[in-house]
Each structure stands twice: as structure tokens, then as C-alpha cells.
Amino acid sequence: MIIKSITLNNFRQYYGENTIFFSTSNKRNVTVIHGENGSGKTALLNAITWCLYDERLDLPNRDKLINDYKLYLMSPEEETEVYVELTFQSGDFNYSMRKSVKVKKTLETEMFSHSKPTIELWMTNFAGNTEKVENYTNEINHLIPSNLKSYFFFDGERIDNLSKEDSSEDVKNAIKNIMNINILENAISHTDEVRKRFRKIRSEEGSEEIQSIYENEIKLEKEYEMIEEKISNFKSEISTAEESRKATEQQLSEVEEMEELMKDKEDKESKLADKKEKLNNLDKDLRHILSNEGYLALTTFISEEIKNNNVDYSNKKGTSSVSKRLIDEIIESGVCICGQEISEDSSHRQHLLDLASSLDDRKDNVINKLYEQLGMVNEKKNYLIERARQIRSVSNEIRKEKKVLETELEQIQEDLIETDIEKASNLGKKLAELNESIKKNEIDKRIQEEKLKEKKEELDKHKREKEQAEKKQSKVELNRERMEACESILDTFRRILSVREQEVKLRVQERVSDIFDRFLRKSYKVLVSENYTLEVQNQFGKSVALSQGERHITSLAFIAGIVDIAREQEREESNTELDDGGVYPLVMDSPFGALDSNHRERVAGNISKLVNQLIVIVSTSQWEGEVESNMYNLTGKEYKLIYNDPTKNPDEPYEYTRIEEVTTSG
């Protein structure tokens, strides 16, 4: 099915008659309709489904179809027509479908009444012959079944529901309908009905004994079916609980990881506090040293100044530590320190007198003491410098370690923010309840399976008794053969269904995973579980909890996957009825709202390749940027919704929308 055009006449926001001609090109297969919020984007999507299917609008104030501005302009008791008309193509046939209501304005201001909808569907064949389709519901459901409409005409703000835990029934129905599994299920159901009819005939034609046997057989089969249904329900409960348990275990794993992160955080915070305390103590030590002994740094300049401005007595032999008083005492003793006798006229005595006359005791002592003190000061100064250097070195190492700890703590904090602590508070209790539920259902299922086994043995025994009784009545032989044929066909259909289901699930899984890989930047894969849920796993085969954007992408990948498979099957020439495909349009309202920039680019650049026709209804902000740059060269038609804002246009005091085509190159 390819939609060619839509015309809206005074429908909801759309004043007057507005027509959109959709792109039917193979190369430029995208039609873009963009407008501001409130301009009627969702109403446009609803107009398509309202026209095709016998249902109410999925909009606020759903029973009001007429445009407010049109109603304002009408006179009391005036009547007008509100309608939506679609033209579309399927195979060699062109269709025109029109759904309309008569709306009458009442005497009360802005009150109205409308008639029941009138629906007409016309079909034109390849030869140009047109005829009215009386059973339009069957025809439309053949083209796009009503239970699948939400996949092909979907609201982007709700589409992520497909990837939630409770969506298995929706996913199952979509796969079965599009992949024609429902044909086999219907065949099984119909064949079983035929078998039961033949049994009824045999019962009516047989003796009282035969009738009693058949009545008992019907009773046994009903009991058998009830047990089967119970087993099926238990399996479904177990499967659902297992899916929930898997998700809970994943969440619990994240909580355990969080607990590890918390321990790591506490450990690093303790180490960081220790580093800060050590740095603080080192800073105190350094401040104390500099405060009390920092003046020593200036002694270098003082020592140099003293050396430059005083006699260096260290260069005079024997005088560095000799005083005048000592020389006088040696002369008085009469004996030199070297052991020579000092007489009045000896040269030694004269020499000592000369030396004594050249010495100043006071100056000599001061200088000697000064140099001794300068030596001590230099030692203290050098110790100060070395101590300060050591403190700085240790401080620098600790600061490096502190920086590493701070960086690690920032990362841990980010990881903790992403973990839903509040939601995970009762996970352990929930997991225990799920395990108990699974255990109980497993026990109940085994009990029913034993009952089913016993009932099967009872049915087999009954069947042998029935065959013996039937041999006595040859006139029921034909119906017996017919019943056996039905049972054989049923057995074959069931085996085919089992194989077909596995093949289809595998094919859908492979296609959806391939598309998912194109759409998502992470290395995840999608699995279709036994219970028909969409399960996303990481590269380690571990189930992952999805963000809203990732759920959105999962759902988009699933829809694009089944549409692509149906299109592929349509192109194949050697199709069986089970492999029969179809061409479906994809109409998306606000599909990019939940996606970030990178994912918008990925989806916009790939999704049009998977369908024959793509109609995108977006806000101007969603269209501009990555979406426009990736879709522009694929766009065959572009329209803009022009919204009349009564606050800016007082001459027309009601809000309404008109549709304007935007000229595209190519």
C-alpha cells in the first residue's frame, strides 16, 4: 500500500480544504510535514487512521471534528461537511476512500450536532474500471489489518512501549500477522472445527452406544483442552516472571555494583581525607619553620657583606686565636710554649713583644666570635633550606595522589547518579517473590502435565473402544476416515507451525539486530525471546536496562525490521502463501523527540532505506539540523503547517492551520 494523497476539509485544526500529495518516488521516497507544536501534526496522523478504520479519534475532545474557525463563521442552523479523503495504491489497484460527517450549527453559540459518518471506498483496476467496494472494512483490513495500524501509523511519543516488559503480546501479534503465522493458526482452528463437525455427524448417525461414546469423547476433549489451557497459562506466567526476574536480577546487579562503588567511594574519601590532613600538617610545619627561622635566608647576604668589609684574620699564621694577654703571660713565665727559654735580650722575647704590639685583644675576640656565630647560622640556614625542600617534595607527591583520588571520586559520583537507588530499594524482596512465583507455577504446571498425560491415556483408550464400536457400523466409516484425515492434517499443521515460528523469530531477530546496530551507537544486540519480548543484551550477553531513547530505537528497529521483511517477501517471485509479503507505508509522528543528536542522525540516515514510503511529521526544531541534513536528498515532497495564532492576528480570532507545500530541489 502506497498513500498518494490526503485531503482534509474543515477537519479539526485544518480550516477549509487542504491537500497533501505524498511522494511516490522510489529514490526520493520521503515526505516531510513540519510545523510548530499545536499546529495539528498529531491530528494529521489521526485523520489517516480515522478515515481508514471505524474508530474514534485518539485526541482531546475527540467527538469534535469540525474546525473552530469554520464553526465560528457559520450561521445558526447552517450545515457543512467535514471529511477526510485518502487516495492510495496497492498492487495494480488504485483506491479512493472518503469518510465524512454533516455538521450543523445550533442556535446556541458555538454548539453543534453532527451525523453518523458516511464511508465510501472506490477501487479502480489496471484497465481503468472503477467500482464501489461494499465491504470496505474487509478490504482495508486485507491491506493493513486494524490490529497492526499502530506499527505503520505511529505516535513517536508512545512507540517505545514495544520494548517494555509487558509488550510481548503486541510484539507477538505483529510478528504473527506480518509473517503470516496467523494463517497456520487459523488453518489449525478451522481444521479442528471441521473435525468436530464430522464427529457430530457420526454421533447423529450412529447407534446409542456410538452416541454415548462420542458424547464421552467430547467431554474428554474439553477436559483435555482445559488442562492444556491451564498449562499454557502456567507457562505464560512462568515466562513473564522469568523475564521480570531477569530484569530484576539486572537491576540487582547494578545495585550490587553500586554497593561496590559506595565502598570504593568511602575508601577513596577516607584516603582523600588522610591526604588532606597530611597536606595541612605539612603546610603548618612549613609555615612554622618559615615564621620562626625564615630570617636565616637573609644571612647569606650578611655573611658576604662582613667578609667584604673586614680583615680576613684566618690568613695570618698563628693569629687566628692568639691574644695580647696570652703573649704577656708567656713572657712573664720566661719559657715559650715551644720550650725555649726567654731572656731579656733574646730574639724570641723581642719577637713576642712585636707580636703583642700588633694585636688588639677586643677586636680579635669580636671577630672570632662573629665568625663562629656565622658558621652556626650557615648550618641552621642550610638545615632550613633542606627541610623546606623535603616538605615541598612530600607535599607535591601527596597533591598528585590527592588529584588522582579526586578524579576517581568524580567518576564514581557520575556512575552513582546513573543508578536508580530509590527504585532498587526493594529488589531483593521482589526477586524472592518472583522466584517463589516461578517455583509455584512450575509445580502447578507439572501437576497439570501429569493430569494431561492421564487424560491422553484415557482418550487413547476411549479411541480404541470407539474404533471397535465403529467397526460394527459400516455407515459411519466415511466420516471416520474424514475425521482421521482431519487429525492427520492437524498434526502436520502443528508441526509446521512450530518450525515456522522458530524460523520467523530467528529471521526477525537477525533483521532487527542488524537495523538496531545501524541505529544505535552502542554494541548491543536484540533478541526475540521465547515469550516474544524484545530483549537487549550488551557485548557480554548480559541484559541491559534501556533509557527512553534506547527503548525508542529498539521499537523503531523492530517496526522497520518487520516492514523490511514484508517488503522483501513481496519482491520474491516463488512465494508460498506463508511467505507472502506486502508493501506498507511508514507514517511517523514526532519520531525523533526522545533521541539525542547522534541517534537522530543515525535513524534519519537509515530508516528511509528500509521502507517503500516514509512520511515524517515533525516539529520544526526536530526537522532542522541532523534530520534535515540526512533526509533532504531523499525527500520528494515537503509541506509546512502554517498556524494562525489569534493572539497575533486579532482579525481572525480563532486558531487554525493551513497546509503549504515547500518547493524542494530535485
Side-chain angles (χ1 to χ4, degrees):
M1 177 181 178
I2 296 294
I3 306 175
K4 300 173 77 173
S5 70
I6 184 171
T7 299
L8 304 97
N9 186 62
N10 293 319
F11 180 85
R12 295 289 290 194
Q13 283 102 317
Y14 297 92
Y15 170 65
E17 189 174 86
N18 292 269
T19 300
I20 295 175
F21 294 97
F22 300 104
S23 176
T24 57
S25 166
N26 290 328
K27 292 183 178 179
R28 302 174 73 91
N29 64 335
V30 179
T31 300
V32 176
I33 302 146
H34 54 86
E36 302 305 325
N37 291 334
S39 61
K41 298 188 298 297
T42 303
L44 181 59
L45 177 70
N46 267 257
I48 297 174
T49 55
W50 180 77
C51 183
L52 289 173
Y53 303 102
D54 188 18
E55 57 183 36
R56 297 166 70 194
L57 295 175
D58 186 16
L59 290 169
N61 199 8
R62 59 173 61 182
D63 291 323
K64 187 174 184 180
L65 300 174
I66 189 169
N67 174 261
D68 284 337
Y69 187 45
K70 176 63 179 176
L71 186 64
Y72 165 75
L73 295 174
M74 290 168 64
S75 303
E77 298 301 304
E78 183 181 345
E79 188 176 73
T80 192
E81 185 181 29
V82 174
Y83 65 82
V84 175
E85 185 173 336
L86 283 170
T87 64
F88 49 92
Q89 178 185 351
S90 181
D92 295 327
F93 296 92
N94 286 304
Y95 295 84
S96 176
M97 189 169 190
R98 180 185 175 106
K99 187 173 184 178
S100 63
V101 295
K102 298 288 186 181
V103 179
K104 185 176 183 179
K105 187 173 183 178
T106 63
L107 291 173
E108 297 181 57
T109 305
E110 296 186 11
M111 296 300 290
F112 64 94
S113 63
H114 59 72
S115 63
K116 289 184 177 181
T118 300
I119 304 171
E120 290 184 337
L121 178 63
W122 296 84
M123 181 174 68
T124 304
N125 63 20
F126 64 93
N129 300 319
T130 301
E131 63 176 293
K132 187 176 182 180
V133 180
E134 297 300 335
N135 196 339
Y136 61 84
T137 301
N138 283 352
E139 187 69 22
I140 295 301
N141 270 287
H142 174 70
L143 298 174
I144 297 186
S146 62
N147 61 348
L148 296 179
K149 68 180 184 299
S150 60
Y151 300 107
F152 307 112
F153 311 107
F154 68 82
D155 181 349
E157 294 177 358
R158 303 179 190 174
I159 195 61
D160 63 312
N161 291 336
L162 272 176
S163 58
K164 293 182 178 177
E165 281 181 40
D166 57 358
S167 65
S168 60
E169 204 60 34
D170 291 335
V171 174
K172 183 192 297 185
N173 289 337
I175 292 175
K176 286 187 174 183
N177 278 275
I178 292 178
M179 304 304 291
N180 297 316
I181 290 176
N182 58 327
I183 293 175
L184 277 170
E185 291 181 332
N186 291 338
I188 290 171
S189 177
H190 294 158
T191 304
D192 197 40
E193 287 298 320
V194 172
R195 180 186 69 84
K196 290 175 180 177
R197 279 204 305 272
F198 287 141
R199 181 176 61 193
K200 184 180 179 182
I201 293 170
R202 289 169 65 193
S203 174
E204 290 170 351
E205 291 178 350
S207 63
E208 289 184 6
E209 180 188 4
I210 289 291
Q211 289 178 15
S212 175
I213 288 173
Y214 287 161
E215 286 172 3
N216 191 37
E217 182 179 44
I218 292 170
K219 177 176 172 291
L220 288 171
E221 284 188 351
K222 284 182 179 178
E223 291 171 352
Y224 189 87
E225 288 170 0
M226 286 176 65
I227 295 171
E228 277 190 319
E229 186 177 353
K230 286 181 180 179
I231 292 172
S232 176
N233 289 337
F234 285 132
K235 284 182 177 179
S236 179
E237 290 289 332
I238 291 167
S239 183
T240 302
E242 284 177 341
E243 291 294 333
S244 183
R245 179 172 66 179
K246 194 177 293 183
T248 305
E249 285 174 343
Q250 172 63 23
Q251 290 175 315
L252 192 59
S253 171
E254 291 172 1
V255 172
E256 289 168 354
E257 289 174 7
M258 183 195 70
E259 289 174 353
E260 289 298 319
L261 284 173
M262 287 296 292
K263 288 179 183 177
D264 194 21
K265 178 173 177 285
E266 290 171 3
D267 178 58
K268 284 182 167 55
E269 284 175 339
S270 175
K271 289 179 179 177
L272 184 62
D274 181 59
K275 300 296 180 189
K276 287 179 178 178
E277 185 179 357
K278 286 181 178 178
L279 277 175
N280 189 44
N281 290 336
L282 287 169
D283 287 342
K284 284 181 180 178
D285 289 347
L286 187 60
R287 283 197 301 271
H288 177 76
I289 291 170
L290 293 177
S291 174
N292 292 300
E293 301 178 26
Y295 68 88
L296 292 171
L298 301 175
T299 60
T300 301
F301 305 104
I302 295 172
S303 297
E304 291 297 324
E305 191 68 20
I306 290 172
K307 286 181 180 179
N308 292 335
N309 291 282
N310 288 278
V311 178
D312 186 0
Y313 288 90
S314 63
N315 291 328
K316 296 185 177 184
K317 283 188 178 181
T319 63
S320 60
S321 58
V322 177
S323 66
K324 185 178 179 181
R325 182 181 299 173
L326 177 62
I327 294 173
D328 288 342
E329 289 176 354
I330 292 171
I331 292 172
E332 274 182 32
S333 67
V335 180
C336 183
I337 58 175
C338 63
Q340 292 283 343
E341 194 175 304
I342 303 173
S343 60
E344 285 289 332
D345 56 352
S346 69
S347 61
H348 294 294
R349 186 174 185 278
Q350 188 59 45
H351 178 71
L352 288 170
L353 290 172
D354 291 341
L355 178 60
S357 65
S358 66
L359 292 177
D360 184 340
D361 272 345
R362 188 162 53 99
K363 181 179 179 182
D364 179 60
N365 287 337
V366 169
I367 291 175
N368 286 334
K369 287 179 181 178
L370 177 61
Y371 273 89
E372 286 176 5
Q373 289 174 352
L374 281 177
M376 293 172 62
V377 167
N378 281 333
E379 286 181 9
K380 286 187 177 182
K381 177 193 69 177
N382 291 336
Y383 177 77
L384 167 69
I385 293 170
E386 179 62 23
R387 178 67 178 142
R389 188 193 65 76
Q390 289 176 353
I391 290 174
R392 287 197 189 95
S393 177
V394 174
S395 295
N396 288 338
E397 286 301 315
I398 293 175
R399 283 192 175 89
K400 288 178 185 178
E401 294 169 359
K402 175 176 169 285
K403 182 65 176 175
V404 171
L405 285 169
E406 287 172 339
T407 303
E408 291 174 346
L409 278 168
E410 285 176 7
Q411 183 59 52
I412 290 172
Q413 194 61 41
E414 287 179 11
D415 293 341
L416 287 172
I417 289 170
E418 293 175 1
T419 304
D420 193 343
I421 301 172
E422 185 176 348
K423 181 181 176 183
S425 59
N426 293 318
L427 285 177
K429 181 180 177 183
K430 181 180 177 182
L431 189 61
E433 289 172 354
L434 287 168
N435 285 330
E436 186 62 30
S437 173
I438 291 170
K439 183 179 177 181
K440 182 180 179 301
N441 283 314
E442 286 282 6
I443 293 170
D444 291 340
K445 179 173 73 75
R446 284 197 293 271
I447 291 171
Q448 294 301 321
E449 285 172 344
E450 285 298 318
K451 288 183 178 180
L452 190 71
K453 184 179 177 182
E454 292 171 3
K455 194 62 65 177
K456 179 70 168 60
E457 291 173 355
E458 196 174 345
L459 274 168
D460 289 343
K461 180 181 177 182
H462 180 273
K463 185 177 180 180
R464 290 192 294 271
E465 292 173 354
K466 181 183 66 175
E467 288 172 352
Q468 291 296 323
E470 284 175 343
K471 286 178 181 178
K472 300 174 183 177
Q473 289 187 258
S474 59
K475 65 178 183 178
V476 297
E477 184 65 24
L478 179 60
N479 281 330
R480 184 183 66 79
E481 291 175 357
R482 288 171 176 170
M483 278 190 62
E484 287 177 352
C486 287
E487 288 169 355
S488 176
I489 292 169
L490 278 171
D491 184 56
T492 302
F493 278 163
R494 285 172 180 142
R495 287 201 304 270
I496 293 172
L497 175 62
S498 177
V499 173
R500 176 70 177 172
E501 279 189 316
Q502 293 303 315
E503 288 177 347
V504 163
K505 277 200 284 190
L506 182 60
R507 185 175 184 183
V508 170
Q509 179 176 294
E510 289 174 348
R511 187 62 53 87
V512 172
S513 287
D514 176 60
I515 296 169
F516 188 74
D517 188 52
R518 297 189 227 172
F519 285 178
L520 193 73
R521 61 174 170 263
K522 295 180 180 177
S523 300
Y524 289 169
K525 63 179 180 179
V526 181
L527 299 180
V528 180
S529 72
E530 286 298 317
N531 199 36
Y532 285 91
T533 56
L534 300 178
E535 181 185 339
V536 180
Q537 295 183 347
N538 60 21
Q539 62 269 37
F540 306 109
K542 189 176 181 181
S543 296
V544 294
L546 301 178
S547 66
Q548 183 188 4
E550 289 168 341
R551 286 201 310 271
H552 193 97
I553 287 174
T554 305
S555 300
L556 276 174
F558 173 72
I559 291 171
I562 58 178
V563 171
D564 191 32
I565 290 173
R567 180 179 66 162
E568 184 180 90
Q569 291 181 166
E570 174 76 9
R571 290 198 297 257
E572 294 173 358
E573 295 181 1
S574 57
N575 285 337
T576 65
E577 212 38 48
L578 292 177
D579 294 319
D580 188 26
V583 173
Y584 301 99
L586 202 51
V587 184
M588 308 191 300
D589 175 23
S590 303
F592 303 105
L595 306 181
D596 60 28
S597 173
N598 179 267
H599 287 132
R600 286 187 184 188
E601 183 177 351
R602 284 171 170 265
V603 172
N606 284 284
I607 196 165
S608 63
K609 301 171 187 175
L610 305 169
V611 295
N612 283 57
Q613 183 182 43
L614 179 64
I615 299 170
V616 182
I617 308 170
V618 289
S619 65
T620 303
S621 61
Q622 282 188 28
W623 168 244
E624 293 173 345
E626 304 86 8
V627 177
E628 182 178 11
S629 62
N630 280 275
M631 280 191 169
Y632 185 78
N633 291 330
L634 302 169
T635 301
K637 290 282 186 177
E638 182 179 350
Y639 290 85
K640 188 173 182 180
L641 305 181
I642 309 298
Y643 168 68
N644 178 67
D645 187 345
T647 63
K648 298 179 181 178
N649 187 9
D651 294 335
E652 296 181 338
Y654 283 85
E655 59 178 353
Y656 66 86
T657 299
R658 58 185 174 83
I659 301 172
E660 182 179 285
E661 184 173 4
V662 179
T663 303
T664 57
S665 62

